[in-house]
């Protein structure tokens, strides 16, 4: 185990969290990834419902992102069965996390044990140690239950909350309190980022930490969650759920997105998120702009892991 001068807590879920962690693991930083457990769709949702465990999918992706194991081991962990009664659609990593949870009787312990197997760089923590049901209340008063159902209503979300509150993982709270920098990773605002912040213990930790809180904003809006949102509206929603001002800086992309990609997103009712500098200045938020747009094999817009990691490390040097 290496000793590093800087501690960083990265909070989120989905592909955005995994992406920036791949870049950050190249730097001499003590990394703690705090991962949402709100997912209830696909393989994760199936294992969650059948075994009453937190959904393993986001954790699995983070394990691979921070792994320094052989490429074949990483590929094995991400392998998804294409057929087989009861196996089709399940990635090997999800099944291993489920099995290890049954063996140890504890999800967080299962994650810790598999982190050792994969030679993970840093620490990976579920934000909480049990399965939770995420709900959304829309501005018209309607309610949706279940993370996977929330974007499907295509209504403006007023707030998200857990059906049955529970405590945050003590280690995750401690990591936020002791961090030199806390990063909110890019990802689905209401279903990947904010769910990590709904715990009373996490709210207190964010108030007590001496670390700056940096939000890495999405590049594109998400239909059903952030349609027509500006950067400042993302920030406002996060702080409204917390009940206090907490974000010091936002990282935003000011690089051009390919025209054909913009048209593809427009057909799905998504667009580039507007950087409303004047409003952000009024909110006393430092805006850091950089060209960090990237694309995956499906021509979906993503953050460039190397560029985002370099920006985050430069912020740590200024702490």
């Amino acid at each position: 185990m290496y000793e590093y001068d800087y501690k960083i807590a990265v909070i989120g879920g989905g592909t955005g969290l995994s992406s920036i962690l791949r870049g950050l693991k190249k730097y001499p930083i003590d990394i703690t990834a705090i991962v949402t457990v709100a997912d209830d769709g696909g393989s994760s949702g199936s294992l969650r419902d059948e075994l009453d465990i937190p959904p393993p999918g986001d954790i699995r992706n983070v394990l691979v992102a921070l792994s320094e194991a052989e490429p074949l081991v990483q590929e094995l962990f991400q392998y998804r069965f294409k057929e087989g009664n009861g196996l089709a659609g399940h990635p090997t990593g999800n099944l291993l996390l489920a099995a290890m949870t049954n063996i140890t009787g504890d999800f967080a312990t299962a994650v810790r044990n598999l982190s050792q197997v994969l030679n993970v760089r840093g620490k990976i923590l579920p934000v909480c140690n049990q399965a939770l049901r995420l709900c959304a209340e829309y501005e018209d008063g309607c309610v949706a239950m279940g993370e996977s159902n929330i974007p499907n209503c295509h209504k403006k979300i007023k707030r998200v909350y857990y059906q049955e509150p529970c405590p945050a993982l003590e280690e995750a709270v401690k990591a936020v309190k002791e961090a030199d920098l806390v990063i909110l990773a890019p990802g689905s605002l209401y279903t990947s980022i904010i769910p990590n912040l709904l715990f009373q213990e996490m709210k207190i930790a964010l108030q007590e930490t001496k670390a700056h809180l940096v939000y890495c904003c999405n590049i594109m809006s998400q239909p059903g969650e952030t349609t027509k949102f500006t950067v400042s509206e993302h920030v406002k929603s996060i702080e409204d759920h917390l009940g206090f001002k907490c974000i010091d800086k936002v990282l935003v992309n000011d690089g051009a997105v390919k025209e054909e990609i913009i048209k593809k997103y427009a057909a799905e009712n998504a667009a580039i998120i507007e950087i409303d500098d004047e409003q952000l200045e009024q909110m006393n938020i430092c805006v850091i702009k950089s060209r960090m747009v990237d694309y995956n094999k499906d021509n979906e817009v993503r953050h460039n892991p190397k560029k985002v990691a370099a920006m985050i490390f430069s912020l740590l040097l200024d702490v």
Side-chain angles (χ1 to χ4, degrees):
M1 181 70 69
Y2 295 102
E3 292 286 339
Y4 294 119
D5 292 333
Y6 299 106
K7 292 183 178 181
I8 185 169
V10 190
I11 302 172
T15 57
L17 176 62
S18 300
S19 176
I20 68 170
L21 289 172
R22 284 190 185 92
L24 284 171
K25 75 177 182 181
K26 305 296 183 183
Y27 288 85
I29 307 170
D30 185 346
I31 302 169
T32 299
I34 299 170
V35 189
T36 180
V37 291
D39 189 12
D40 65 356
S43 168
S44 286
S46 173
L47 292 172
R48 163 208 167 105
D49 292 339
E50 290 180 27
L51 303 175
D52 191 28
I53 63 171
D58 285 331
I59 290 280
R60 181 193 85 246
N61 288 327
V62 171
L63 281 165
V64 173
L66 287 177
S67 170
E68 293 185 341
E70 294 295 325
L72 186 60
V73 176
Q74 296 184 32
E75 186 178 347
L76 169 66
F77 212 71
Q78 291 287 55
Y79 176 78
R80 191 179 294 268
F81 290 91
K82 297 179 177 61
E83 55 188 9
N85 187 22
L87 279 177
H90 285 296
T92 306
N94 283 7
L95 298 176
L96 287 172
L97 278 162
M100 188 65 76
T101 301
N102 281 350
I103 291 169
T104 64
D106 182 85
F107 186 65
T109 302
V111 175
R112 190 181 306 118
N113 289 341
L114 284 175
S115 293
Q116 294 174 355
V117 171
L118 288 170
N119 192 23
V120 159
R121 172 78 166 75
K123 186 182 294 183
I124 301 169
L125 302 172
V127 70
C128 131
N129 213 15
Q130 64 189 67
L132 294 173
R133 184 73 64 190
L134 188 69
C135 304
E137 179 187 356
Y138 302 92
E139 289 200 335
D140 65 359
C142 290
V143 171
M145 295 179 61
E147 180 267 347
S148 59
N149 294 321
I150 289 172
N152 297 335
C153 292
H154 295 280
K155 298 178 181 180
K156 189 160 186 179
I157 297 169
K158 181 179 179 181
R159 68 182 181 111
V160 289
Y161 60 95
Y162 289 118
Q163 186 178 21
E164 295 180 2
C166 80
L169 191 73
E170 189 174 330
E171 284 181 87
V173 173
K174 185 171 183 258
V176 169
K177 287 183 178 180
E178 295 181 352
D180 295 303
L181 198 65
V182 177
I183 304 292
L184 297 183
S188 301
L189 180 64
Y190 290 104
T191 53
S192 289
I193 300 168
I194 291 177
N196 294 290
L197 312 178
L198 298 176
F199 305 88
Q200 187 61 30
E201 300 87 353
M202 192 59 72
K203 292 179 182 181
I204 293 171
L206 288 168
Q207 284 182 304
E208 293 181 350
T209 185
K210 294 179 180 178
H212 280 182
L213 182 59
V214 181
Y215 173 43
C216 186
C217 189
N218 287 350
I219 299 171
M220 309 297 292
S221 65
Q222 184 172 353
E225 289 201 34
T226 56
T227 303
K228 297 183 180 178
F229 267 39
T230 62
V231 174
S232 72
E233 286 176 306
H234 283 73
V235 173
K236 184 176 185 303
S237 185
I238 291 168
E239 294 185 339
D240 282 350
H241 278 79
L242 283 168
F244 54 89
K245 174 172 171 48
C246 62
I247 295 176
D248 302 288
K249 301 174 182 178
V250 292
L251 305 183
V252 295
N253 172 65
D254 67 348
V257 178
K258 296 175 184 177
E259 191 62 36
E260 64 268 26
I261 304 298
I262 294 175
K263 291 179 180 178
K264 174 188 172 183
Y265 272 81
E268 299 170 357
N269 199 30
I272 296 172
I273 295 170
E274 176 192 349
I275 306 170
D276 48 343
D277 292 281
E278 186 174 332
Q279 186 62 35
L280 290 163
E281 184 179 350
Q282 290 176 10
M283 297 168 71
N284 197 30
I285 291 173
C286 174
V287 181
I288 303 170
K289 300 179 181 179
S290 180
R291 297 177 181 177
M292 50 187 181
V293 66
D294 204 354
Y295 309 95
N296 65 12
K297 59 182 176 58
D298 297 318
N299 269 335
E300 295 169 325
V301 173
R302 294 289 182 263
H303 286 79
N304 184 295
K306 293 181 180 178
K307 292 182 179 179
V308 176
M311 291 169 65
I312 291 172
F313 188 66
S314 69
L315 292 175
L316 266 175
L317 295 178
D318 291 335
V319 169

